[in-house]
Amino acid sequence: MNTTNDKKAADSVLSSKKGQNEGSVRITGAEALMRSLEHEGVETLFGYPGGAIMPTYDALYDYRDVFHHVLVRHEQGAVHAAQGYARVSGKVGCAIVTSGPGAMNTITGVADAMIDSTPIVVICGQVGAAMLGTDAFQEVDVIGVTQPITKWSYQIRRAEDISWAVSRAFFIARSGRPGPVVLDFTKNAQTALVDYEPTHVDFIRSYRPVQIPSEETIAEAARMINASVKPFVLVGQGVELGNARQELVEFLEKAQMPAGFTLLGLSALPSDHPLNMGMLGMHGNLGPNVMTNQCDLLIAVGMRFDDRVTGSLATYARQAKIIHFDIDPSEIDKNVKVDLAVVGDCKQTLPRVTELLDKATHKAWIEGFRPYAEKEMQKVIEPAIHPTEGPLLMGEVVRAVSEATENKAILVTDVGQNQMFGCRYFKFTEGRSVVTSGGCGTMGFGLPAGIGATFGAPERTVCVFCGDGGLQMTIQELGTIMEQKAPVKIILLNNNFLGNVRQWQYMFFRKRYSFTPMLNPDYEQIASAYGIASRTVTERVDLNDAIRQMLETDGPFLLQCAVKEEDNVLPMTPPGANVDEMLLEVK
């Protein structure tokens, strides 16, 4: 959802309620921004100052008791930190940066937030309105760049528009299918005086964030489930975003339906729940993938049928009827044609269907998953988490950290093999426990997202798994950790390779390792320079003691694990293959 800066047109599609307890006060636009953010309940800001946003930072100086500002070391880090904050807290993350290169450095994070439905508001400085279009110093067309990758992007040219624009931005970011909003804040709007009044936007005529399905649709969904002999539920992040974990449990348990989970949906149900069959997708568990092509009814809840989940669409679940629960109507029939769409908030739609379900067991169907689970356990999982010889393996490190936290920690990953091993072998007991870059696959995401997570859920342990490649992409954020004393537990799985690319080169490019070996620095010395405690583990016998030391250390810690260089993530559905054609080994 995007618009230009035509305020008159925008005013015609919103309903604003003026604050009843605060009178009009004449202040600068920059201070009006501060008051508007406070009015929205913002507590933490991630940012980096610069010329075009300097008036806002000057106003922020007087609001240091209102907001905790986290000075990142790169603007990309600000947006990823805001994402991590939003994902674990359920609130809208907020980042503030300057114009030109500052704004452009946020683009990767904004695109990442869009595809992964993460609610953030990014406020960028901009040159004065009179200088727009003149190629002024550090001027970039932020609106033109960000419109395709945001729910809404808007240029604030007048101080009078600030209160309205901020309230509208937060409403759009958090409502319906969440996502990023960008506000481009001209310098003249920051310095001009305005009669400030708080604004509350909760309706936009052209924007319908949540639809309500008909009674007939709900009844038909229940009828199809009740008639099914082999139902299978695919659970995505929409359940977490909709705060519908309990509703999902009741839905699954009443009809005793097995469920598989997308990468971002992994913590929507405890890992040890008897109906949790594991992860879907290219590096998911064998049973859920195979049984996708054996069920008679596929029920997708809050997921978008990503290609990493479906494999070849030509053969994906062709034998099954399909029901799709989703808040976003644009996802219906986008990749997979469905037989019934239940468009709405799953926190409301799931209970309505559950009420109409017959109690069932589906015992034989559920037992059908067992042989695949046992086969994968024997051939893949046990060798990965309990090796008896050789170098450390990524899977055993991940499982050992998870167990040491009693499976209660937040898992944050970077992208690559560390991500796949992390999501396969970390276990979950609580919701909002997976923070990873799903749709974009952004290397460098993990470290700053982990920082944000420590502010979004300060009472929880945050474990960040990184590879040696991804860590170096945002390694400057160790400075943020140092300054903030953010208690990030960093587990570096160091294999001296760009591991995921190397695996593909091994499997599909005749083992031609073209520019994937890495010459790495001394990470312990780097950690020491930032005042971060660290330890390196090379021998299996030292692993558990090192994990204990990491978790008992007050504050941040870097645990470097020297892992097998040519370890491969398995099982794997080769690109373009059918979802049930998973490889359990490579030769």
Side-chain angles (χ1 to χ4, degrees), residues 163-221:
S163 177
W164 165 84
V166 171
S167 184
R168 196 176 199 258
F170 276 80
F171 172 61
I172 291 172
R174 70 166 66 95
S175 60
R177 179 179 181 175
V181 171
V182 169
L183 294 177
D184 194 35
F185 198 11
T186 61
K187 200 166 186 179
N188 64 286
Q190 298 174 54
T191 58
L193 294 178
V194 62
D195 292 324
Y196 172 77
E197 285 187 80
T199 304
H200 179 66
V201 175
D202 61 7
F203 173 76
I204 303 171
R205 194 187 329 175
S206 62
Y207 172 53
R208 188 181 178 189
V210 181
Q211 297 185 23
I212 301 175
S214 67
E215 292 297 334
E216 291 77 9
T217 298
I218 296 296
E220 178 61 12

Side-chain angles (χ1 to χ4, degrees), residues 55 179 469 487 495:
N495 59 6

